[in-house]
């Protein structure tokens, strides 16, 4: 087969066969196809889409590009969660230890930043020494020992996703439903979880802008999970504004730590409670969502979830003293307020633009080789429906370069829409797809 034929076929709106998809993923994983041709194919997929059969084939091909983890010799039932990507989304950092502290092993393979959306691995690397590379043996050992693992794509697990993910990040090919579904579900299938809670984001900061699109993405991922014998549920959650207050790597780690201590933003905690609650339900640890949330709240209040987070950081080489004193996490040189440009009610936010403002500040990558500045970002407690007086502080910019700081301020202000009349606050969950 020749990649040029596949590119032209998809460019012209035709279906790729199962054999073609398998060949493409095998050849790319073995470095037999250059990035520039794969970029062209990804762009063709983004514009032309893939039908259900092609999406399922792509998911399976990526999942089988490496090994399959069977975790049952170390844990009888393992749960996992995954978000479709958003701005300020540090949910994994809080939910994983909460669920592990309830006695349910959580083994998770996360990703780096993707386009305007932050990545869990980049956030965790704000902690000195913390690393996600591990052999499958280490993954299992840690899951057995502390019930909590946060790894990344490896050369063993879904290696094709690692390569495609990095390429999509810098080629404008992230926001494609089949590519997102295959990326997420291939990792979930390869990592061997018995139950999966998907957090599918919808809104101005998500790759799916409407609830209808998010529901479609959720449906296909839930079906792929079920076909593979995994209990799968998708929550459709709001991403019309950043999640929580912090946006940017070390700032988000600080907010996650505060949340594990019971001091995080209320709306973010509510979101974590829902995701963790559904994970408990799938693991049959509670019979109602309310009972599940009560268990989750109890392990936070008893400090058990914080202890799990510490254990995971220590097991993966991180500096525990630094998370015990979050002021020692990377800190930006310039911190300046963002003032409301007018009196009025915040009516809408272009959350993708806020995500890109953070990337341009240094918090993400514009090209594959960029180094991340973990210290920079925003603390933006302002939410849709909040009323401000002109000049009132809405949040803060953390930057290491005054020019970039000023640019970020203009970008954030340009991302806000104001109203003279009251605006209803947004729900944080729109639907649950089972
Ligand atoms: N998360 C992933 O792992 N992949 C995507 O494509 C989007 C979000």
């Amino acid at each position: 087969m020749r990649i040029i034929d596949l590119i032209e076929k998809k460019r012209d709106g035709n279906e790729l066969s199962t054999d073609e998809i398998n060949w493409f993923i095998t050849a790319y994983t073995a470095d037999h196809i250059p990035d520039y041709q794969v970029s062209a194919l990804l762009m063709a997929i983004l514009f032309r889409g893939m039908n259900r059969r092609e999406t399922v084939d792509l998911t399976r091909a990526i999942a089988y590009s490496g090994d399959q983890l069977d975790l049952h010799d170390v844990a009888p039932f393992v749960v996992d969660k995954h978000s479709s990507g958003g701005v300020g989304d540090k949910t994994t950092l809080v939910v994983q230890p909460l669920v592990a502290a309830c006695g349910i092993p959580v083994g998770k393979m996360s990703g780096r930043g993707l386009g305007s959306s932050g990545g869990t691995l980049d956030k965790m690397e704000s902690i000195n020494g913390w690393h996600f590379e591990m052999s499958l043996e280490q993954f299992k050992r840690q899951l057995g020992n502390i019930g909590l693992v946060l790894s990344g794509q490896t050369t063993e697990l879904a290696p094709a996703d690692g390569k495609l993910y990095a390429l999509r990040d810098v080629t404008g090919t992230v926001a494609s439903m089949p590519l997102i579904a295959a990326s997420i579900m291939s990792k979930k299938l390869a990592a061997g979880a018995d139950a999966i809670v998907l957090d599918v984001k919808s809104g101005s900061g998500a790759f799916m802008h409407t609830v209808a699109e998010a529901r479609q993405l959720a449906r296909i991922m839930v079906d792929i999970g079920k076909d593979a014998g995994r209990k799968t549920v998708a929550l459709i959650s709001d991403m019309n504004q950043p999640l929580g207050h912090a946006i940017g790597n070390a700032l988000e780690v600080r907010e996650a730590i505060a949340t594990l201590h019971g001091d995080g933003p209320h709306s973010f905690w509510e979101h974590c409670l829902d995701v963790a609650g559904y994970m408990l339900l799938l693991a049959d640890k509670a019979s109602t969502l309310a009972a599940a949330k009560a268990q989750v709240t109890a392990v936070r209040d008893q400090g058990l979830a914080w202890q799990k987070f510490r254990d995971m950081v220590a097991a993966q080489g991180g500096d525990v003293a630094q998370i015990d004193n979050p002021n020692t996490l990377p800190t930006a040189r310039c911190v300046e307020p963002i003032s409301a440009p007018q009196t009025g009610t915040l009516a809408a936010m272009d959350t993708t633009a806020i995500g890109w403002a953070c990337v341009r500040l240094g918090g993400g990558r514009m090209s594959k080789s960029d180094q991340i500045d973990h210290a920079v970002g925003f603390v933006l407690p302002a939410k849709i429906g909040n009323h401000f007086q002109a000049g009132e502080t809405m949040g803060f910019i953390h930057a290491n370069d005054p020019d970039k700081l000023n640019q970020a301020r203009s970008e954030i202000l340009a991302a806000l829409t104001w109203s003279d009349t009251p605006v209803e606050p947004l729900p944080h969950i729109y639907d649950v797809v089972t």
Side-chain angles (χ1 to χ4, degrees):
M1 281 189 208
R2 297 186 322 158
I3 185 73
I4 178 83
D5 297 329
L6 272 63
I7 297 170
E8 288 178 356
K9 203 169 172 189
K10 192 39 85 180
R11 180 200 65 195
D12 297 340
N14 297 312
E15 263 184 57
L16 299 180
S17 70
T18 305
D19 285 350
E20 285 168 334
I21 291 172
N22 287 339
W23 173 82
F24 154 55
I25 292 299
T26 308
Y28 185 50
T29 309
D31 291 330
H32 293 158
I33 311 177
D35 277 354
Y36 61 84
Q37 284 184 306
V38 175
S39 304
L41 181 57
L42 293 174
M43 192 56 87
I45 294 173
L46 182 131
F47 279 116
R48 291 299 196 165
M50 278 184 146
N51 63 25
R52 197 173 198 84
R53 197 265 312 145
E54 289 174 292
T55 307
V56 171
D57 284 346
L58 185 64
T59 308
R60 292 215 176 106
I62 299 174
Y64 286 100
S65 64
D67 294 336
Q68 310 296 297
L69 265 181
D70 182 349
L71 303 168
H72 293 119
D73 50 337
V74 288
F77 194 90
V78 179
V79 291
D80 195 355
K81 59 91 45 187
H82 206 89
S83 152
S84 64
V87 177
D89 188 357
K90 70 289 292 175
T91 309
T92 291
L93 276 54
V94 176
V95 157
Q96 245 202 332
L98 284 169
V99 173
C102 291
I104 305 160
V106 192
K108 173 159 169 58
M109 206 195 302
S110 279
R112 291 200 175 280
L114 197 56
S116 56
S117 156
T120 300
L121 302 178
D122 294 328
K123 293 170 205 199
M124 286 299 292
E125 282 181 342
S126 305
I127 302 167
N128 287 335
W130 185 87
H131 64 87
F132 59 83
E133 296 89 3
M134 62 182 82
S135 67
L136 299 187
E137 273 319 299
Q138 286 167 319
F139 188 107
K140 282 181 142 186
R141 200 174 325 122
Q142 186 174 321
L143 190 70
N145 287 345
I146 62 170
L148 182 53
V149 186
L150 184 52
S151 86
Q153 292 100 347
T154 63
T155 48
E156 292 165 295
L157 282 184
D161 182 58
K163 295 188 73 180
L164 290 170
Y165 194 93
L167 195 58
R168 287 169 60 217
D169 185 29
V170 292
T171 54
T173 51
V174 173
S176 148
M177 201 176 295
L179 295 179
I180 295 175
S183 166
I184 293 180
M185 291 312 290
S186 61
K187 284 194 283 277
K188 302 299 98 180
L189 300 188
D194 301 287
I196 305 156
V197 173
L198 300 165
D199 183 6
V200 180
K201 304 284 185 199
S202 159
S204 67
F207 301 127
M208 300 296 118
H209 291 302
T210 63
V211 172
E213 284 173 333
R215 214 178 261 128
Q216 219 183 320
L217 175 63
R219 185 75 267 156
I220 187 153
M221 293 198 293
V222 168
D223 287 350
I224 291 171
K226 289 202 165 151
D227 285 354
R230 320 294 169 93
K231 287 169 111 178
T232 312
V233 162
L235 312 184
I236 314 282
S237 68
D238 181 68
M239 189 36 73
N240 283 297
Q241 53 194 350
L243 188 58
H245 298 175
I247 303 144
N249 300 291
L251 292 169
E252 292 190 43
V253 173
R254 284 200 184 89
E255 186 162 279
I257 292 173
T259 304
L260 284 167
H261 288 308
D263 299 325
H266 180 70
S267 57
F268 175 52
W269 171 245
E270 287 290 310
H271 179 69
C272 293
L273 263 183
D274 269 314
V275 176
Y278 274 97
M279 290 169 82
L280 261 63
L281 283 183
L282 290 194
D284 289 329
K285 273 277 170 177
S287 50
T288 64
L289 188 58
K293 288 183 180 183
Q295 276 190 58
V296 170
T297 306
V299 295
R300 178 200 62 178
D301 294 347
Q302 291 155 9
L304 300 174
W306 168 245
Q307 189 52 49
K308 279 286 172 204
F309 183 75
R310 277 181 105 248
D311 292 347
M312 182 270 287
V313 168
Q316 296 184 217
D319 181 355
V320 176
Q322 206 183 13
I323 55 165
D324 283 344
N325 180 3
N327 290 333
T328 60
L329 285 163
T331 305
R333 282 192 292 279
C334 327
V335 180
E336 289 204 5
I338 307 165
S339 307
Q342 64 182 86
T343 297
T345 302
L346 199 50
M349 286 172 152
D350 181 346
T351 308
T352 295
I354 296 174
W356 279 119
C358 182
V359 171
R360 276 190 278 273
L361 202 54
R365 288 178 200 81
M366 305 291 284
S367 74
K368 259 171 118 176
S369 54
D370 280 354
Q371 291 297 315
I372 285 199
D373 183 345
H374 288 100
V376 302
F378 315 119
V379 176
L380 200 55
K383 295 285 171 202
I384 290 171
N386 290 169
H387 188 268
F388 291 91
Q389 296 295 326
E392 195 179 336
T393 299
M394 305 174 66
F396 291 88
I397 304 178
H398 294 238
N400 276 323
D401 174 323
D403 290 340
K404 287 188 180 173
L405 186 147
N406 288 329
Q407 188 195 338
R409 178 184 286 111
S410 316
E411 289 177 26
I412 290 197
L413 291 177
L416 308 180
T417 304
W418 295 91
S419 166
D420 294 332
T421 52
V423 176
E424 280 297 307
L426 296 172
H428 78 99
I429 300 280
Y430 292 105
D431 201 357
V432 178
V433 176
T434 56

